[in-house]
């Protein structure tokens, strides 16, 4: 495997996490060249100083300038190597073969992007734990539109918290800078539509995940609905199956908790899924709603 790597870290106040994680990154069993690109959006906890001690200087931006897509594009423009790897500052690789497992698939010239498993951290609640286990299963798979029976939004699920993309494809399909989030799903869509494959490799695993309360689930769903609509993934007659996908998620969540005798969690999952459904439906129409409403739901959502 000859793919050289540019590893991008985007952080703010991650000193506690990166002190624990960076030694594992440095000790990866990986023979090709690796360059480290680090963008910091206003750390005050010593993150910048720690990374400088590791020989990695920071590209510093003001906190108010941080944007999921724009900031990663800023970092990616500095990349010189064949493959760009994106890793969240609090995502901890589970072993020394993480990077190899993530990048090995690029030996196949038809593979355009890869993402890895995200294992829930210890102490995570049952709702988010089950959601992460559903989205990042222990079995790998390959997405290829030529082999897909139909095009639906689930085909474009992707996460740049633990991912890799060919630099030449990022140059063709940079992250969308008009959306609140889900810019990684937009890039995945573009790569697939260009005829490349997208691989999910559970052996390229990290420990990563965040809790969300009911309000957080609603807001995240709203921002997703708004962003995916702006990118033409939702409310697109050529991309169907949204309702069926959502209904299957509700069914699977309820069955999962009932099978474990956790009836309270089954009821809670219905409430969470209802909040998410309402959030997505409002988000899909976010550019038609009064701006005051949109700002109240999501201060990050801009016209």
């Amino acid at each position: 495997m000859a793919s050289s790597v540019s590893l991008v870290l985007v952080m703010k106040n991650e000193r506690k996490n990166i002190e624990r994680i960076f030694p594992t990154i440095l000790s990866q069993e990986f023979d090709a060249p690796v360059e480290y690109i680090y963008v910091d959006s206003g750390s005050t906890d010593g993150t910048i100083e720690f990374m400088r001690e590791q020989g990695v200087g920071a590209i510093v931006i003001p906190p108010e300038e941080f944007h999921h897509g724009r900031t990663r594009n800023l970092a990616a423009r500095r990349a010189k190597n064949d493959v760009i790897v994106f890793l969240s500052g609090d995502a901890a690789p589970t072993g020394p073969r993480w990077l190899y497992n993530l990048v090995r698939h690029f030996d196949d010239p038809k593979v355009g992007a890869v993402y890895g498993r995200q294992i829930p951290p210890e102490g995570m609640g049952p709702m988010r734990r089950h959601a992460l286990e559903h989205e990042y299963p222990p079995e790998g798979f390959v997405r290829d539109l030529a082999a897909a029976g139909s095009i639906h939004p689930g085909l474009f699920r992707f996460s740049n918290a633990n991912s890799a993309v060919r630099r030449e494809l990022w140059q063709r399909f940079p992250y969308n800078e008009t959306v609140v989030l889900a810019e990684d799903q937009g890039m995945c869509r573009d790569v697939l539509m260009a005829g490349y494959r997208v691989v999910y490799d559970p052996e390229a695993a990290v420990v990563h995940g965040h809790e969300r309360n009911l309000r957080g689930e609603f807001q995240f769903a709203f921002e997703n609905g708004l962003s995916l609509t702006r990118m033409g993934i939702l409310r697109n007659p050529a991309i169907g199956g949204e309702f069926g996908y959502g209904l299957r998620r509700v069914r699977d969540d309820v069955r999962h908790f009932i099978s474990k005798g956790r009836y309270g969690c089954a009821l809670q999952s219905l409430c969470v899924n209802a909040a998410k459904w309402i959030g997505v439906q409002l988000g899909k129409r976010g550019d038609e709603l009064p701006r005051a409403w949109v700002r109240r739901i999501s201060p990050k959502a801009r016209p």
Side-chain angles (χ1 to χ4, degrees), residues 89-282:
D90 58 345
T94 58
R97 302 280 283 177
W98 158 75
L99 186 58
Y100 169 82
N101 289 330
L102 196 64
V103 178
R104 60 179 170 168
H105 302 281
F106 294 104
D107 286 349
D108 180 349
K110 292 303 293 179
V111 170
V114 181
Y115 71 114
R117 191 178 185 188
Q118 295 183 45
I119 299 172
E122 289 292 329
M124 178 167 277
M127 294 292 109
R128 285 293 294 148
R129 174 172 293 277
H130 177 59
L132 284 171
E133 289 170 347
H134 184 279
E135 291 174 15
Y136 304 100
E139 304 83 18
F141 50 80
V142 178
R143 296 200 189 111
D144 184 345
L145 288 192
S150 61
I151 300 177
H152 55 86
L155 285 173
F156 309 134
R157 296 196 72 83
F158 195 82
S159 174
N160 59 24
N162 175 29
S163 68
V165 61
R166 291 188 188 275
R167 182 165 65 97
E168 62 183 288
L169 286 181
W170 168 81
Q171 290 171 331
R172 288 174 59 187
F173 309 117
Y175 289 122
N176 190 306
E177 299 186 5
T178 71
V179 298
V180 185
L181 41 75
E183 73 289 336
D184 42 11
Q185 295 184 56
M187 185 274 295
C188 178
R189 183 270 314 273
D190 293 339
V191 167
L192 286 169
M193 290 292 192
Y196 290 86
R197 301 186 187 106
V198 171
V199 175
Y200 167 70
D201 188 339
E203 293 184 30
V206 299
V207 177
H208 180 255
H210 302 280
E211 288 283 11
R212 294 194 200 109
N213 58 22
L214 193 62
R215 160 75 185 181
E217 294 283 13
F218 168 75
Q219 180 175 320
F220 188 78
F222 175 86
E223 293 170 350
N224 258 294
L226 177 65
S227 299
L228 293 173
T229 300
R230 285 181 177 176
M231 291 187 292
I233 293 175
L234 297 183
R235 300 187 78 177
N236 182 342
I239 301 175
E242 176 195 344
F243 181 76
Y245 176 79
L247 199 61
R248 286 191 298 273
R249 284 300 304 268
V250 174
R251 179 199 63 196
D252 293 347
D253 288 352
V254 171
R255 283 181 176 176
H256 168 79
F257 289 116
I258 288 178
S259 71
K260 295 183 177 300
R262 306 188 71 169
Y263 303 107
C265 288
L267 180 60
Q268 187 180 352
S269 75
L270 288 174
C271 295
V272 168
N273 279 296
K276 290 163 70 173
W277 183 84
I278 294 170
V280 168
Q281 299 311 309
L282 287 173

